[in-house]
Short mmCIF file of all heavy atoms in Angstrom, two decimals:
data_model
loop_
_atom_site.label_atom_id
_atom_site.label_comp_id
_atom_site.label_asym_id
_atom_site.label_seq_id
_atom_site.Cartn_x
_atom_site.Cartn_y
_atom_site.Cartn_z
N LEU A 1 8.07 1.84 5.19
CA LEU A 1 8.91 1.50 4.08
C LEU A 1 9.18 2.74 3.20
O LEU A 1 10.31 2.97 2.74
CB LEU A 1 8.30 0.38 3.24
CG LEU A 1 8.26 -0.98 3.98
CD1 LEU A 1 7.40 -1.95 3.20
CD2 LEU A 1 9.69 -1.55 4.10
N MET A 2 8.12 3.51 2.98
CA MET A 2 8.34 4.75 2.18
C MET A 2 9.27 5.69 2.90
O MET A 2 10.16 6.33 2.28
CB MET A 2 7.00 5.44 1.95
CG MET A 2 6.13 4.74 0.92
SD MET A 2 6.84 4.81 -0.77
CE MET A 2 6.79 6.56 -1.13
N ALA A 3 9.13 5.75 4.22
CA ALA A 3 10.04 6.62 5.00
C ALA A 3 11.47 6.11 4.88
O ALA A 3 12.44 6.87 4.71
CB ALA A 3 9.61 6.66 6.44
N LEU A 4 11.64 4.78 4.95
CA LEU A 4 12.98 4.21 4.86
C LEU A 4 13.66 4.53 3.52
O LEU A 4 14.81 5.02 3.49
CB LEU A 4 12.90 2.70 5.01
CG LEU A 4 14.21 1.90 4.75
CD1 LEU A 4 15.19 2.20 5.87
CD2 LEU A 4 13.92 0.41 4.66
N PHE A 5 12.92 4.34 2.41
CA PHE A 5 13.54 4.59 1.13
C PHE A 5 13.66 6.08 0.81
O PHE A 5 14.56 6.48 0.06
CB PHE A 5 12.72 3.88 0.01
CG PHE A 5 12.90 2.36 0.06
CD1 PHE A 5 11.89 1.53 0.46
CD2 PHE A 5 14.09 1.84 -0.33
CE1 PHE A 5 12.07 0.19 0.50
CE2 PHE A 5 14.29 0.46 -0.32
CZ PHE A 5 13.27 -0.37 0.10
N ALA A 6 12.83 6.91 1.45
CA ALA A 6 13.00 8.37 1.25
C ALA A 6 14.19 8.87 2.04
O ALA A 6 14.90 9.76 1.54
CB ALA A 6 11.73 9.08 1.72
N GLU A 7 14.41 8.35 3.21
CA GLU A 7 15.46 8.85 4.07
C GLU A 7 16.82 8.24 3.75
O GLU A 7 17.86 8.93 3.89
CB GLU A 7 15.12 8.55 5.56
CG GLU A 7 13.91 9.31 6.05
CD GLU A 7 13.41 8.82 7.40
OE1 GLU A 7 13.96 7.84 7.93
OE2 GLU A 7 12.44 9.41 7.92
N GLN A 8 16.83 6.96 3.31
CA GLN A 8 18.14 6.29 3.13
C GLN A 8 18.34 5.80 1.73
O GLN A 8 19.42 5.31 1.41
CB GLN A 8 18.23 5.14 4.13
CG GLN A 8 18.14 5.58 5.60
CD GLN A 8 18.42 4.50 6.56
OE1 GLN A 8 19.33 3.66 6.33
NE2 GLN A 8 17.69 4.41 7.63
N GLY A 9 17.31 5.82 0.87
CA GLY A 9 17.48 5.36 -0.48
C GLY A 9 17.82 6.48 -1.45
O GLY A 9 17.78 7.65 -1.07
N ASP A 10 18.16 6.16 -2.67
CA ASP A 10 18.49 7.20 -3.65
C ASP A 10 17.87 6.88 -4.98
O ASP A 10 18.44 7.19 -6.05
CB ASP A 10 20.00 7.29 -3.75
CG ASP A 10 20.66 6.00 -4.16
OD1 ASP A 10 19.94 4.98 -4.32
OD2 ASP A 10 21.91 5.99 -4.35
N ARG A 11 16.67 6.22 -4.98
CA ARG A 11 16.01 5.92 -6.20
C ARG A 11 14.51 6.16 -6.04
O ARG A 11 14.02 6.19 -4.91
CB ARG A 11 16.27 4.45 -6.61
CG ARG A 11 15.53 3.40 -5.75
CD ARG A 11 16.43 2.31 -5.33
NE ARG A 11 17.34 2.75 -4.33
CZ ARG A 11 18.07 1.90 -3.63
NH1 ARG A 11 17.98 0.64 -3.80
NH2 ARG A 11 18.90 2.32 -2.71
N PRO A 12 13.80 6.32 -7.14
CA PRO A 12 12.34 6.56 -7.04
C PRO A 12 11.62 5.40 -6.34
O PRO A 12 11.90 4.26 -6.63
CB PRO A 12 11.90 6.73 -8.48
CG PRO A 12 13.13 7.04 -9.26
CD PRO A 12 14.26 6.35 -8.53
N ALA A 13 10.72 5.72 -5.46
CA ALA A 13 9.94 4.72 -4.77
C ALA A 13 8.50 5.20 -4.64
O ALA A 13 8.25 6.37 -4.48
CB ALA A 13 10.52 4.44 -3.37
N THR A 14 7.60 4.26 -4.77
CA THR A 14 6.18 4.55 -4.61
C THR A 14 5.53 3.32 -3.96
O THR A 14 6.17 2.29 -3.79
CB THR A 14 5.51 4.90 -5.93
OG1 THR A 14 4.20 5.39 -5.67
CG2 THR A 14 5.38 3.68 -6.84
N ARG A 15 4.26 3.50 -3.61
CA ARG A 15 3.59 2.34 -2.96
C ARG A 15 2.20 2.17 -3.53
O ARG A 15 1.57 3.07 -4.03
CB ARG A 15 3.52 2.58 -1.45
CG ARG A 15 2.65 3.77 -1.05
CD ARG A 15 2.41 3.84 0.45
NE ARG A 15 1.68 5.04 0.85
CZ ARG A 15 0.94 5.15 1.94
NH1 ARG A 15 0.82 4.10 2.75
NH2 ARG A 15 0.27 6.25 2.25
N ILE A 16 1.77 0.93 -3.37
CA ILE A 16 0.35 0.60 -3.60
C ILE A 16 -0.10 -0.16 -2.40
O ILE A 16 0.52 -1.13 -1.95
CB ILE A 16 0.18 -0.19 -4.89
CG1 ILE A 16 -1.32 -0.62 -5.05
CG2 ILE A 16 1.06 -1.45 -4.93
CD1 ILE A 16 -1.62 -1.26 -6.37
N ALA A 17 -1.21 0.27 -1.81
CA ALA A 17 -1.72 -0.33 -0.58
C ALA A 17 -3.21 -0.47 -0.63
O ALA A 17 -3.87 0.11 -1.59
CB ALA A 17 -1.33 0.52 0.63
N ALA A 18 -3.79 -1.15 0.28
CA ALA A 18 -5.24 -1.30 0.32
C ALA A 18 -5.89 0.02 0.68
O ALA A 18 -5.29 0.88 1.30
CB ALA A 18 -5.66 -2.35 1.34
N GLU A 19 -7.15 0.18 0.30
CA GLU A 19 -7.90 1.35 0.63
C GLU A 19 -8.24 1.35 2.12
O GLU A 19 -8.28 0.28 2.78
CB GLU A 19 -9.21 1.42 -0.16
CG GLU A 19 -8.96 1.58 -1.66
CD GLU A 19 -10.29 1.59 -2.44
OE1 GLU A 19 -11.30 1.96 -1.87
OE2 GLU A 19 -10.28 1.18 -3.61
N ASP A 20 -8.42 2.54 2.68
CA ASP A 20 -8.79 2.63 4.09
C ASP A 20 -10.30 2.29 4.23
O ASP A 20 -11.16 3.18 4.37
CB ASP A 20 -8.52 4.04 4.61
CG ASP A 20 -7.03 4.31 4.78
OD1 ASP A 20 -6.27 3.34 4.93
OD2 ASP A 20 -6.64 5.49 4.83
N CYS A 21 -10.56 1.01 4.23
CA CYS A 21 -11.94 0.54 4.19
C CYS A 21 -11.99 -0.86 4.78
O CYS A 21 -11.00 -1.61 4.68
CB CYS A 21 -12.48 0.58 2.78
SG CYS A 21 -14.17 0.04 2.61
N PHE A 22 -13.11 -1.24 5.34
CA PHE A 22 -13.33 -2.64 5.73
C PHE A 22 -13.55 -3.46 4.51
O PHE A 22 -13.83 -2.95 3.41
CB PHE A 22 -14.50 -2.76 6.72
CG PHE A 22 -14.27 -1.96 8.00
CD1 PHE A 22 -15.07 -0.87 8.28
CD2 PHE A 22 -13.33 -2.37 8.88
CE1 PHE A 22 -14.89 -0.17 9.48
CE2 PHE A 22 -13.13 -1.68 10.06
CZ PHE A 22 -13.91 -0.57 10.36
N ILE A 23 -13.48 -4.76 4.67
CA ILE A 23 -13.60 -5.70 3.54
C ILE A 23 -15.04 -6.25 3.48
O ILE A 23 -15.62 -6.61 4.47
CB ILE A 23 -12.58 -6.83 3.69
CG1 ILE A 23 -11.14 -6.26 3.56
CG2 ILE A 23 -12.78 -7.91 2.62
CD1 ILE A 23 -10.05 -7.26 3.75
N ALA A 24 -15.55 -6.35 2.26
CA ALA A 24 -16.91 -6.80 2.05
C ALA A 24 -16.93 -8.30 1.88
O ALA A 24 -15.94 -8.93 1.59
CB ALA A 24 -17.51 -6.13 0.81
N THR A 25 -18.12 -8.86 2.06
CA THR A 25 -18.37 -10.30 1.74
C THR A 25 -18.92 -10.37 0.33
O THR A 25 -19.54 -9.46 -0.18
CB THR A 25 -19.40 -10.86 2.73
OG1 THR A 25 -18.91 -10.68 4.03
CG2 THR A 25 -19.63 -12.33 2.48
N GLY A 26 -18.65 -11.51 -0.32
CA GLY A 26 -19.23 -11.72 -1.66
C GLY A 26 -18.26 -11.37 -2.78
O GLY A 26 -17.02 -11.32 -2.55
N PRO A 27 -18.78 -11.09 -3.93
CA PRO A 27 -17.90 -10.85 -5.12
C PRO A 27 -16.95 -9.72 -4.96
O PRO A 27 -15.91 -9.68 -5.58
CB PRO A 27 -18.92 -10.57 -6.21
CG PRO A 27 -20.20 -11.25 -5.77
CD PRO A 27 -20.22 -11.07 -4.28
N ALA A 28 -17.27 -8.76 -4.06
CA ALA A 28 -16.39 -7.59 -3.88
C ALA A 28 -15.35 -7.77 -2.82
O ALA A 28 -14.74 -6.80 -2.34
CB ALA A 28 -17.23 -6.34 -3.59
N TYR A 29 -15.07 -9.03 -2.46
CA TYR A 29 -14.19 -9.28 -1.33
C TYR A 29 -12.80 -8.67 -1.49
O TYR A 29 -12.11 -8.36 -0.53
CB TYR A 29 -14.06 -10.79 -1.07
CG TYR A 29 -13.27 -11.54 -2.07
CD1 TYR A 29 -11.89 -11.79 -1.92
CD2 TYR A 29 -13.86 -12.02 -3.26
CE1 TYR A 29 -11.14 -12.48 -2.86
CE2 TYR A 29 -13.10 -12.68 -4.18
CZ TYR A 29 -11.77 -12.91 -4.03
OH TYR A 29 -11.03 -13.60 -4.94
N ALA A 30 -12.32 -8.54 -2.75
CA ALA A 30 -10.96 -8.04 -2.97
C ALA A 30 -10.97 -6.65 -3.62
O ALA A 30 -9.91 -6.18 -4.02
CB ALA A 30 -10.18 -9.03 -3.83
N ALA A 31 -12.14 -6.02 -3.65
CA ALA A 31 -12.20 -4.79 -4.41
C ALA A 31 -11.35 -3.63 -3.82
O ALA A 31 -10.90 -2.76 -4.55
CB ALA A 31 -13.67 -4.33 -4.48
N THR A 32 -11.14 -3.67 -2.51
CA THR A 32 -10.35 -2.60 -1.88
C THR A 32 -8.87 -2.96 -1.74
O THR A 32 -8.11 -2.16 -1.17
CB THR A 32 -10.92 -2.30 -0.48
OG1 THR A 32 -10.80 -3.46 0.31
CG2 THR A 32 -12.37 -1.87 -0.58
N LEU A 33 -8.46 -4.11 -2.25
CA LEU A 33 -7.11 -4.62 -1.99
C LEU A 33 -6.26 -4.56 -3.25
O LEU A 33 -6.79 -4.54 -4.37
CB LEU A 33 -7.21 -6.09 -1.54
CG LEU A 33 -8.10 -6.36 -0.33
CD1 LEU A 33 -8.19 -7.85 -0.05
CD2 LEU A 33 -7.58 -5.63 0.91
#
């Protein structure tokens, strides 16, 4: 998607994605997301 908007779009674009990490069990289940 970043490539698409960089190559064919004409407005500022950025992204937020999950960390490159496995997901934990328990209270931290969403900490990397």
Side-chain angles (χ1 to χ4, degrees):
L1 292 167
M2 284 296 293
L4 173 69
F5 287 109
E7 293 168 358
Q8 300 188 40
D10 57 359
R11 73 224 73 167
T14 191
R15 65 172 175 153
I16 176 173
E19 296 178 26
D20 287 338
C21 181
F22 299 112
I23 295 177
T25 302
Y29 72 94
T32 62
L33 307 174

